[in-house]
Amino acid sequence: MSEDAPPFQTQEHDSLTIPLLSHQQRSINSTSQVAIVGANVCPIESLDYEIVENDFFKQDWRARGKVQIFQYIFMKWLLCFLLGGFVSLAGFFNNLAVENIAGVKFVITSNMMLAQRYWMAFLVFSLSNLALTLFAAIITAFISPAAAGSGIPEVKAYLNGVDAPGILSIRTLIVKIVGSIAAVSSSLLVGKAGPMVHTGSCIAALFGQGGSRRYGLTWKWLRFFKNDRDRRDLVTCGSAAGIAAAFRAPVGGVLFALEEMASWWRSALLWRAFFTTAVVAIILRALIDVCLSGKCGLFGKGGLIMFDVYSANVSYHLADVPPVLALGVIGGILGSFYNFLLVKILKVYNLVNEKGTFYKIFIACTISIFTSCLLFGLPWLVSCQSCPSDASEDCPTIGRSGNYKKFQCPPGHYNDLASLIFNTNDDAIRNLFSKNTDSEFQLSTMLIFFVTCFILSIFSYGIVAPAGLFVPVIVTGASYGRFIGMLIGSWGNLSHGLYAVLGAASFLGGSMRMTVSLCVIILELTNNLLLLPLIMVVLLVSKTVADAFNGNVYDLIMKVKGFPYLETHAEPYMRQLTVADVVSGPLQLCHGIEKVGNIVHILKTTMHHGFPVIDESPHSESPVLYGLILRAHLIALLKKKAFLCTPVQLGADAFRHFSSDDFAKKGLGNVDKIEDIELTDEEMEMFLDLHPFTNASPYTVVDTMSLAKALILFREVGLRHLLVIPKISSRAPVVGILTRHDFMPEHILGLHPSLVRSRWKRLRFQFPLLLKIF
């Protein structure tokens, strides 16, 4: 049973149980309270984004002067500055390590190919890939399974109000950085953008801990951030900084956080996120200048993608619009099909992962060997090309990244497929996007490379290692776009490199379903504003087409993982129901002045995190709802042992025994448990006055409110608990508590099976073709 699901009630404490309305059938929310976090199944909780307005909160805010308000605002901006600095350093180190590790591997392989030691070259290539993949899989499986995958679904769920163990811990941060470097360097078709988003979010979460007694970080200025709301804002800025560091796209990072990640947004947060990404851009620019002077080994111009492929003017005409529209349609179909296959593969991986750690690592190693064999063997299938006389760089390219890889070809020739494969993903994208290269690649090469990328990116994502989707989708889309451009040939005015850019945009739109943020990210990547109209058209068409088939890839992954994500809209059937139709019970209550033994019993027999507090005689003529008290606050009260011998109100004495810091949110992993508190039999018979510690103004709705309206309120305000009270006065002052699990379709449709049939009929009527296809 989840901490957010209404608990069972034993027969020994019937006085604490308030039944539901007489016409409401009692039900227990049996929806899953666990989710797949990274590569492991973990229990999940909800976050307290609501401000708990109890007497201590009010007293604390009344006591704050101008100095404390200045401290709070100053620390917000200082943490954003530090966040941008640390994320930029992490992104720079990530790229520096990938370029040098992969560069050494490709140079050694290339030298052996030049010496015609083909089998030895294959062994070096495949074994180095296997070693890197094995290293990434082992540290992920044994140190931090939450670091597996891109991390974007986990961070997106966190910003929606879903918390899970370890997703933003320092252990996850270290494994994410090191594992991502190893996985990307191993020639697996995985990206670094998703892991960079997770990395930025982890750094932000660590900054938002409000200090640490273990490490002596107890500065009073940090105490303002001991709440989920400020941590959420920092994590949002961290996710924006992650994209900015991955693509050197500061504005695109802000828009990505706004469009895809954040569930709550306001203008003040927009300004701080923009400041964070600006810091990232400035620091990266300075570090890149250092590397361009040749002080970063094989780093050179690689990594930290800035393609700058169209410094000249781009000209296009009305006749070029139909091919661009076709690219959008094809990208939407391919993107939705990509999402469909990825979900199927992830489900298979989840079944295998349940068997144990050995199987997780075995899958990763199998994918690595398969990838190495495919990447090394495919270039042998294409014919060698003569080096162009007007090549802008040495041809063939020997011992470094470039457009013309010799591989097995004779002198004066190059292998165009090897030029894409035996490079990092960043260099492969740069080769595909390059201008004045219409004759560089063969049609068969583009087809083979597209199919290979499409398949390998699907199978590589689900392994137990940090792996992103952004870059693989860009590579796949660019290859198919260039293939379409080669088919059109002289019929159009656009170059093959521009078709590659548009193909990447269409495939991104078809898979990830973002528009504004993707448009700006691509513009910042290509450094040419003249592409804006074409990219906008491609993204709009691809997203529209793909939406007819399924959802965006991150939402689908969240659903597979089991995160109870609250959508921005309510399902149509929710308007047919009231909150009383789905609220679960029976309900556990606390009295305004409660016996210590009863509180201990409640906490030990339930995992619920919020309890309604009611006042009865002699404190009230009839039972009335006083407010809501959190589990963490009850444990804090028991820990202090400020008990009363008689059931009287504590009054002003509460402020002498407690401070606001006693009720502040603990850091990651630091949660007090009821099992750790030892009480004597005499203390169990004493009393606690809960009034000063209760949120006296919780959000409430009447039991006749439509479920759709309740969902909008619950999501927009960022609630964890929503109290349901009777519209008509009755013996019960409160009907029940709604949590996010009560809004899940599995719970609602389980209580009302007739809605399933009506929903299926509506889908069959609206989308008959799509249901036949899928």
Coordinates of all heavy atoms in Angstrom, one line a residue, residues 448-493:
I448 N 21.5 2.4 -45.9 CA 22.1 1.5 -44.9 C 22.3 2.1 -43.5 O 22.0 1.6 -42.5 CB 23.4 0.9 -45.4 CG1 23.2 0.0 -46.6 CG2 24.1 0.1 -44.3 CD1 24.5 -0.5 -47.3
F449 N 22.8 3.3 -43.6 CA 23.1 4.1 -42.3 C 21.8 4.4 -41.6 O 21.7 4.3 -40.4 CB 23.9 5.3 -42.6 CG 24.4 6.0 -41.4 CD1 25.4 5.4 -40.6 CD2 24.0 7.3 -41.1 CE1 25.8 6.1 -39.5 CE2 24.4 7.9 -40.0 CZ 25.4 7.3 -39.2
F450 N 20.8 4.8 -42.3 CA 19.5 5.1 -41.7 C 18.9 3.9 -41.0 O 18.5 4.0 -39.8 CB 18.5 5.7 -42.7 CG 17.1 5.7 -42.3 CD1 16.6 6.5 -41.3 CD2 16.2 4.8 -42.9 CE1 15.3 6.5 -40.8 CE2 14.8 4.8 -42.5 CZ 14.4 5.6 -41.4
V451 N 18.8 2.8 -41.7 CA 18.3 1.6 -41.1 C 19.1 1.1 -39.9 O 18.5 0.7 -38.9 CB 18.2 0.4 -42.2 CG1 17.7 -0.9 -41.5 CG2 17.3 0.8 -43.3
T452 N 20.4 1.2 -40.0 CA 21.3 0.8 -38.9 C 21.0 1.7 -37.7 O 20.9 1.2 -36.6 CB 22.7 0.9 -39.3 OG1 23.0 0.1 -40.5 CG2 23.6 0.5 -38.2
C453 N 21.0 3.0 -37.9 CA 20.7 3.9 -36.8 C 19.4 3.7 -36.2 O 19.2 3.7 -34.9 CB 20.9 5.4 -37.2 SG 22.6 5.8 -37.7
F454 N 18.4 3.5 -37.0 CA 17.0 3.3 -36.5 C 16.9 2.1 -35.6 O 16.3 2.2 -34.5 CB 16.1 3.1 -37.7 CG 14.6 3.2 -37.4 CD1 13.9 4.4 -37.4 CD2 13.9 2.0 -37.1 CE1 12.6 4.4 -37.1 CE2 12.6 2.1 -36.8 CZ 11.9 3.3 -36.8
I455 N 17.5 1.0 -36.0 CA 17.5 -0.2 -35.2 C 18.3 -0.2 -34.0 O 17.9 -0.5 -32.9 CB 17.9 -1.4 -36.1 CG1 16.9 -1.6 -37.3 CG2 18.0 -2.7 -35.3 CD1 17.3 -2.7 -38.3
L456 N 19.6 0.3 -34.1 CA 20.5 0.3 -33.0 C 20.1 1.2 -31.9 O 20.3 1.0 -30.7 CB 21.9 0.6 -33.5 CG 22.6 -0.5 -34.3 CD1 24.1 0.0 -34.7 CD2 22.7 -1.8 -33.6
S457 N 19.5 2.4 -32.3 CA 19.1 3.4 -31.3 C 18.0 2.8 -30.4 O 17.9 3.1 -29.2 CB 18.7 4.7 -31.9 OG 17.6 4.5 -32.8
I458 N 17.1 2.0 -31.0 CA 16.0 1.4 -30.3 C 16.5 0.3 -29.3 O 16.2 0.3 -28.1 CB 15.0 0.8 -31.2 CG1 14.3 1.9 -32.0 CG2 14.0 -0.1 -30.5 CD1 13.3 1.4 -33.1
F459 N 17.4 -0.5 -29.8 CA 17.9 -1.6 -28.9 C 18.9 -1.1 -27.9 O 19.1 -1.8 -26.9 CB 18.6 -2.7 -29.8 CG 17.6 -3.6 -30.5 CD1 17.1 -3.3 -31.7 CD2 17.1 -4.7 -29.8 CE1 16.2 -4.2 -32.4 CE2 16.1 -5.5 -30.4 CZ 15.7 -5.3 -31.7
S460 N 19.6 0.0 -28.1 CA 20.6 0.4 -27.2 C 20.1 1.2 -26.0 O 20.7 1.3 -25.0 CB 21.6 1.3 -28.0 OG 22.3 0.6 -29.0
Y461 N 18.9 1.8 -26.2 CA 18.3 2.7 -25.2 C 18.0 2.0 -23.9 O 18.3 2.5 -22.8 CB 17.1 3.4 -25.7 CG 16.5 4.3 -24.6 CD1 17.1 5.6 -24.3 CD2 15.4 4.0 -23.9 CE1 16.6 6.4 -23.4 CE2 14.9 4.8 -22.9 CZ 15.5 6.0 -22.7 OH 15.0 6.9 -21.7
G462 N 17.5 0.8 -23.9 CA 17.0 0.1 -22.7 C 18.0 -0.6 -21.9 O 17.6 -1.2 -20.9
I463 N 19.3 -0.5 -22.2 CA 20.3 -1.3 -21.5 C 20.6 -0.6 -20.1 O 20.2 0.6 -20.0 CB 21.6 -1.5 -22.2 CG1 22.3 -0.1 -22.5 CG2 21.3 -2.2 -23.6 CD1 23.6 -0.2 -23.1
V464 N 21.2 -1.3 -19.2 CA 21.5 -0.7 -17.9 C 22.7 0.1 -18.0 O 23.8 -0.2 -17.5 CB 21.6 -1.8 -16.8 CG1 22.7 -2.8 -17.2 CG2 21.8 -1.3 -15.5
A465 N 22.6 1.3 -18.5 CA 23.6 2.3 -18.7 C 23.0 3.6 -19.0 O 21.9 3.7 -19.5 CB 24.6 1.9 -19.8
P466 N 23.7 4.7 -18.6 CA 23.1 6.1 -19.0 C 23.1 6.2 -20.6 O 24.1 6.0 -21.2 CB 24.1 7.0 -18.4 CG 24.8 6.3 -17.3 CD 24.8 4.9 -17.8
A467 N 21.9 6.5 -21.1 CA 21.8 6.5 -22.5 C 20.7 7.5 -22.9 O 19.5 7.4 -22.4 CB 21.4 5.1 -23.1
G468 N 21.0 8.5 -23.8 CA 20.0 9.5 -24.2 C 19.4 9.1 -25.6 O 20.0 8.3 -26.3
L469 N 18.4 9.8 -25.9 CA 17.7 9.6 -27.2 C 17.9 10.8 -28.2 O 17.7 10.6 -29.4 CB 16.2 9.4 -27.0 CG 15.8 8.0 -26.5 CD1 14.3 8.1 -26.2 CD2 16.0 7.0 -27.5
F470 N 18.2 12.0 -27.7 CA 18.3 13.1 -28.5 C 19.2 13.0 -29.7 O 18.8 13.1 -30.9 CB 18.7 14.4 -27.7 CG 17.6 15.4 -27.6 CD1 16.9 15.6 -26.4 CD2 17.4 16.2 -28.7 CE1 16.0 16.6 -26.3 CE2 16.4 17.2 -28.6 CZ 15.7 17.4 -27.4
V471 N 20.5 12.7 -29.4 CA 21.5 12.6 -30.5 C 21.2 11.4 -31.5 O 21.3 11.6 -32.7 CB 22.9 12.5 -29.9 CG1 23.9 12.3 -31.0 CG2 23.2 13.8 -29.2
P472 N 20.8 10.2 -31.0 CA 20.5 9.1 -31.9 C 19.3 9.5 -32.8 O 19.3 9.2 -34.0 CB 20.1 8.0 -31.0 CG 20.9 8.2 -29.8 CD 20.9 9.7 -29.6
V473 N 18.3 10.2 -32.3 CA 17.2 10.6 -33.2 C 17.6 11.7 -34.2 O 17.2 11.6 -35.4 CB 16.1 11.2 -32.3 CG1 15.0 11.9 -33.1 CG2 15.4 10.1 -31.5
I474 N 18.6 12.6 -33.8 CA 19.1 13.5 -34.8 C 19.9 12.8 -35.9 O 19.7 13.1 -37.1 CB 20.0 14.6 -34.0 CG1 19.1 15.5 -33.1 CG2 20.7 15.4 -35.1 CD1 19.9 16.4 -32.3
V475 N 20.7 11.9 -35.5 CA 21.5 11.1 -36.5 C 20.6 10.4 -37.4 O 20.8 10.4 -38.7 CB 22.5 10.2 -35.8 CG1 23.2 9.3 -36.8 CG2 23.5 10.9 -35.0
T476 N 19.6 9.7 -36.9 CA 18.7 8.9 -37.7 C 17.9 9.8 -38.6 O 17.8 9.5 -39.8 CB 17.7 8.1 -36.8 OG1 18.5 7.3 -35.9 CG2 16.9 7.2 -37.6
G477 N 17.4 10.9 -38.1 CA 16.6 11.8 -39.0 C 17.4 12.5 -40.0 O 17.0 12.6 -41.2
A478 N 18.7 12.8 -39.7 CA 19.6 13.4 -40.7 C 19.9 12.5 -41.8 O 19.9 12.9 -43.0 CB 20.8 13.9 -40.0
S479 N 20.1 11.2 -41.5 CA 20.4 10.2 -42.5 C 19.2 10.0 -43.5 O 19.4 10.0 -44.7 CB 20.9 8.9 -41.9 OG 19.8 8.4 -41.1
Y480 N 18.0 9.9 -42.9 CA 16.8 9.7 -43.8 C 16.5 11.0 -44.6 O 16.1 11.0 -45.7 CB 15.6 9.3 -42.9 CG 14.5 10.2 -42.9 CD1 13.6 10.3 -43.9 CD2 14.3 11.0 -41.7 CE1 12.5 11.2 -43.8 CE2 13.2 11.9 -41.7 CZ 12.3 12.0 -42.7 OH 11.3 12.8 -42.6
G481 N 16.8 12.2 -44.0 CA 16.5 13.4 -44.7 C 17.5 13.6 -45.8 O 17.1 14.0 -46.9
R482 N 18.7 13.2 -45.6 CA 19.7 13.3 -46.7 C 19.4 12.3 -47.8 O 19.6 12.5 -49.0 CB 21.1 13.1 -46.2 CG 22.2 13.5 -47.2 CD 23.6 13.6 -46.6 NE 24.5 14.1 -47.6 CZ 25.2 15.2 -47.5 NH1 25.0 16.0 -46.5 NH2 26.1 15.5 -48.4
F483 N 18.8 11.1 -47.4 CA 18.4 10.1 -48.4 C 17.3 10.7 -49.3 O 17.3 10.5 -50.5 CB 18.0 8.9 -47.6 CG 17.4 7.8 -48.5 CD1 18.3 7.0 -49.3 CD2 16.1 7.6 -48.6 CE1 17.8 6.0 -50.1 CE2 15.5 6.6 -49.4 CZ 16.4 5.8 -50.2
I484 N 16.3 11.3 -48.6 CA 15.2 11.9 -49.4 C 15.8 13.0 -50.3 O 15.4 13.1 -51.5 CB 14.2 12.5 -48.5 CG1 13.5 11.4 -47.6 CG2 13.1 13.3 -49.3 CD1 12.8 10.4 -48.4
G485 N 16.7 13.8 -49.8 CA 17.3 14.9 -50.7 C 18.0 14.3 -51.9 O 18.0 14.8 -53.0
M486 N 18.7 13.1 -51.7 CA 19.4 12.5 -52.8 C 18.4 11.9 -53.8 O 18.6 11.9 -55.0 CB 20.3 11.4 -52.3 CG 21.4 12.0 -51.4 SD 22.4 10.7 -50.6 CE 23.3 10.0 -52.0
L487 N 17.2 11.5 -53.4 CA 16.2 11.0 -54.3 C 15.6 12.1 -55.1 O 15.4 12.0 -56.3 CB 15.1 10.3 -53.5 CG 15.4 8.9 -52.9 CD1 14.2 8.4 -52.1 CD2 15.8 7.9 -54.0
I488 N 15.4 13.3 -54.5 CA 14.9 14.4 -55.2 C 15.9 14.9 -56.2 O 15.5 15.3 -57.3 CB 14.4 15.5 -54.2 CG1 13.3 15.0 -53.3 CG2 14.0 16.8 -54.9 CD1 12.9 15.9 -52.2
G489 N 17.1 15.0 -55.8 CA 18.2 15.4 -56.7 C 18.1 16.8 -57.2 O 17.8 17.7 -56.5
S490 N 18.2 16.9 -58.5 CA 18.2 18.2 -59.2 C 16.8 18.8 -59.3 O 16.6 19.9 -59.8 CB 18.8 18.2 -60.6 OG 18.1 17.2 -61.4
W491 N 15.7 18.0 -58.9 CA 14.4 18.6 -58.9 C 14.1 19.7 -57.9 O 13.2 20.5 -58.1 CB 13.4 17.4 -58.7 CG 13.3 16.4 -59.8 CD1 14.0 15.3 -59.9 CD2 12.5 16.5 -61.0 NE1 13.7 14.6 -61.0 CE2 12.8 15.4 -61.8 CE3 11.6 17.5 -61.5 CZ2 12.2 15.1 -63.0 CZ3 11.0 17.2 -62.7 CH2 11.3 16.0 -63.5
G492 N 15.0 19.8 -56.9 CA 14.8 20.8 -55.9 C 16.0 21.7 -55.9 O 17.0 21.5 -56.5
N493 N 15.8 22.8 -55.1 CA 16.9 23.8 -55.0 C 17.7 23.7 -53.7 O 18.6 24.4 -53.5 CB 16.3 25.2 -55.1 CG 15.6 25.5 -56.4 OD1 16.1 25.4 -57.4 ND2 14.3 25.9 -56.3

